[in-house]
Amino acid sequence: MTSQLPAELFQAFTETHYIVHHEPPFTMNIGVFCPDLEKLMAERKALCAAFITAWNPFAQQLTNTENEARQQTLKDNLTERGQVFIDGIGQHPGNGWPGEPSVLILNMGREAAKALAGQYEQWAFVWADQAAVPTLMLPD
């Protein structure tokens, strides 16, 4: 995985807290079972979920206005496709990088999530199946 992704970004993405603005909110961490995600997926009858942002393509910081427009386009795209999603934010606990608004998309398969993350020029995204263990994935 790290052959394409710079090591410092891999580490930062692995340490990031992926916060889902559900009621109540919950945090996903890479490689750690998330009982709140498991419960949400069971309630919504979801087999998998993807956590994706449109902010800062290829980790190049854009203005808030540019990022907000990109994120709205992502959400509009998901709505048009009938995808169910919940807002969230990816926030590293200590590197000073601003949190990136994101969405948790229910029932988005791994290949569809790879394509979507690639479309929005992301180095990586988070994906989980019914085991509810978030995994850092790279788009194709």
Side-chain angles (χ1 to χ4, degrees):
M1 169 179 295
T2 57
S3 61
Q4 299 170 4
L5 183 64
E8 66 276 4
L9 285 179
F10 176 80
Q11 181 174 351
F13 293 162
T14 300
E15 295 170 350
T16 291
H17 296 176
Y18 299 95
I19 303 162
V20 179
H21 297 155
H22 186 57
E23 284 302 323
F26 63 89
T27 300
M28 302 184 302
N29 294 72
I30 300 300
V32 178
F33 170 68
C34 182
D36 291 317
L37 177 62
E38 181 184 54
K39 181 180 177 198
L40 172 65
M41 288 172 56
E43 287 171 355
R44 303 286 183 95
K45 297 179 178 26
L47 301 176
C48 51
F51 193 90
I52 296 177
T53 185
W55 278 55
N56 299 322
F58 299 123
Q60 298 303 307
Q61 199 158 6
L62 301 180
T63 67
N64 282 351
T65 301
E66 291 170 308
N67 279 322
E68 288 165 2
R70 289 175 57 85
Q71 191 70 12
Q72 189 58 55
T73 299
L74 168 60
K75 291 166 76 171
D76 290 347
N77 177 316
L78 293 170
T79 299
E80 288 168 11
R81 292 164 54 174
Q83 292 280 170
V84 175
F85 62 90
I86 300 167
D87 286 321
I89 191 166
Q91 179 69 63
H92 190 279
N95 71 357
W97 186 267
E100 295 182 346
S102 304
V103 288
L104 178 73
I105 310 158
L106 298 175
N107 269 328
M108 176 164 274
R110 186 176 11 212
E111 294 306 312
K114 283 183 179 184
L116 188 64
Q119 178 182 342
Y120 286 92
E121 304 171 299
Q122 297 302 305
W123 278 111
F125 64 96
V126 177
W127 190 81
D129 62 14
Q130 286 179 300
V133 177
T135 304
L136 192 64
M137 306 286 298
L138 299 182
D140 290 331

